Amino acid sequence: MNGHPVVNINGTSREALVNARMSAVESLRSAMQAFGECSPNGRDYQTAPKGEYEIARKTYMERFAFLDRMINQLEDEAIFIQGAT
């Protein structure tokens, strides 16, 4: 099982399924670009308690990786749907 939709005569068209995923990918890429502006800057943590910058950086990287995983999953689904018979 992979959780991918199965194109059939009673369901959503292949084109609509793919387009929906690619639209979401485009939006997530825009979000990643905007999120890049949120990257922690060490200068903003100079007076923070020790370790706060490292925590902020780790959190930022985890969030960025989550967006990247979502993009990859949606692209994989679109490829699967395009090739499904």
Side-chain angles (χ1 to χ4, degrees):
M1 301 184 112
N2 55 26
H4 299 316
V6 177
V7 177
N8 67 82
I9 196 164
N10 295 317
T12 306
S13 72
R14 180 183 319 272
E15 181 179 9
L17 290 168
V18 170
N19 287 345
R21 281 152 183 78
M22 295 315 295
S23 177
V25 165
E26 190 174 312
S27 295
L28 287 167
R29 284 190 176 132
S30 293
M32 283 180 88
Q33 186 173 358
F35 187 60
E37 298 296 319
C38 299
S39 178
N41 183 323
R43 293 180 303 230
D44 299 327
Y45 293 85
Q46 289 176 346
T47 59
K50 185 174 178 129
E52 286 297 311
Y53 172 73
E54 289 77 13
I55 292 168
R57 187 81 184 149
K58 181 178 184 273
T59 301
Y60 172 80
M61 296 303 290
E62 288 170 351
R63 291 173 176 166
F64 198 85
F66 177 74
L67 291 172
D68 189 53
R69 279 193 311 275
M70 287 178 46
I71 288 171
N72 290 332
Q73 290 170 359
L74 288 165
E75 287 175 332
D76 288 348
E77 280 185 21
I79 290 168
F80 176 85
I81 293 164
Q82 285 177 327
T85 56

